[in-house]
Amino acid sequence: RVAALFSVRVSQARVALWPERGGRAFKTIVNTFGVIRGSQFPDEMVIVGGHRDAWGPGAADNVSGGVSILEAAEAWGAALKAGHRPLRTIVFATWDAEEWGLVGSTEWVELMRDTLSANAVAYLNQDVAASGRAFGGGGTASLAAFLRDATHGIRQPGDTGSIYRDWAQRTVTTQRPLPPVGDLGGGSDFAGFYNMLGLPSIEFGFGGPGGVYHSAYDSYTWMERFGDPGYLSHVAAGQLSSVILSRLANAAVVPLDHGM
């Protein structure tokens, strides 16, 4: 009788899997683009991109990256309406089917190979731009000093100092005098630009403890409560994206520093 009082009814879940073959196995994917044409060097392109697809809700991976791109696009749209056109062309891209193997961005890079090789100045990738408060970045060695410099002018989320100050306090040691800018490696949409064409590329984001990667828990609720309460890191990511695009698009000489 006691056991009956504490008995638990167990529900059963059934999961069915089936393959799709032939024509049904092919899916249509869509990349999207917004373009602001440059005033003096219209053929030279600065590109920012991130993927729209996700495993699950994708609040961090990669709604946060998409938000950063859209925030930068909105800022540049306002600047354009006020009469401030960049010297170089800026391309705002969102890629489809990244989670299936970088398909959307790779197809576009292959299609545009000759144009990109001749005219692309740099590519900024936005993948998991905000899932915490700890800033980090990676990229081409020639853009490491540029990325560090850009973080001086943006406020650290939840603090009064700069992103750079917080980044340096967490990472600088006697053996490492500057905040680290790592290698991009692989696994995101910079691969076509960086690994295939050798174009200068960078990526950054605000990270944290995580634990929800590629799961159903990468949700609005998790982001609001744990990942980025108040969406302060989202704001900072959008601001930093805007600054990076502005400096790359308007510099008389592209700020590449091979001394790191």
Side-chain angles (χ1 to χ4, degrees):
R1 186 176 178 180
V2 174
L5 291 175
F6 292 95
S7 64
V8 178
R9 184 175 181 179
V10 179
S11 299
Q12 291 185 342
R14 296 184 179 181
V15 179
L17 300 174
W18 61 91
E20 291 188 336
R21 298 185 176 91
R24 293 186 62 185
F26 291 87
K27 309 297 179 183
T28 300
I29 66 170
V30 178
N31 296 325
T32 70
F33 300 93
V35 180
I36 298 178
R37 190 166 175 80
S39 60
Q40 293 190 27
F41 311 109
D43 292 335
E44 298 183 12
M45 295 182 292
V46 177
I47 306 158
V48 57
H51 68 93
R52 293 193 323 279
D53 62 320
W55 293 112
D61 186 15
N62 187 35
V63 172
S64 67
V67 166
S68 179
I69 295 167
L70 293 176
E71 285 293 307
E74 184 174 9
W76 265 105
L80 189 63
K81 289 180 180 178
H84 305 294
R85 183 177 293 275
L87 301 184
R88 296 179 178 84
T89 294
I90 303 177
V91 178
F92 303 87
T94 68
W95 312 115
D96 204 350
E98 187 264 3
E99 302 290 9
W100 291 96
L102 318 180
V103 179
S105 59
T106 300
E107 289 295 320
W108 190 72
V109 167
E110 290 179 345
L111 176 67
M112 300 288 290
R113 175 187 294 269
D114 293 342
T115 299
L116 292 172
S117 295
N119 300 318
V121 170
Y123 174 70
L124 168 61
N125 195 56
Q126 292 287 259
D127 195 354
V128 192
S131 62
R133 294 282 193 263
F135 181 84
T140 309
S142 59
L143 287 173
F146 169 77
L147 178 60
R148 293 189 189 102
D149 186 63
T151 61
H152 280 280
I154 308 296
R155 176 190 266 186
Q156 169 66 20
D159 199 351
T160 57
S162 68
I163 293 173
Y164 184 89
R165 188 182 75 173
D166 181 81
W167 187 18
Q169 287 176 343
R170 288 185 293 103
T171 61
V172 168
T173 66
T174 53
Q175 290 77 32
R176 184 169 57 195
L178 293 171
V181 176
D183 182 49
L184 287 174
S188 193
D189 290 304
F190 54 73
F193 300 89
Y194 178 57
N195 297 331
M196 292 172 57
L197 300 187
L199 297 174
S201 303
I202 49 176
E203 180 177 64
F204 70 81
F206 294 88
V212 301
Y213 180 65
H214 282 185
S215 78
Y217 298 100
D218 185 9
S219 65
Y220 172 84
T221 300
W222 175 85
M223 182 63 75
E224 189 175 52
R225 294 183 181 179
F226 307 107
D228 186 19
Y231 295 93
L232 304 181
S233 294
H234 283 72
V235 172
Q239 292 172 336
L240 185 55
S241 292
S242 301
V243 168
I244 287 173
L245 293 174
S246 178
R247 293 187 180 183
L248 288 172
N250 287 320
V253 177
V254 179
L256 301 177
D257 183 357
H258 296 281
M260 298 180 66

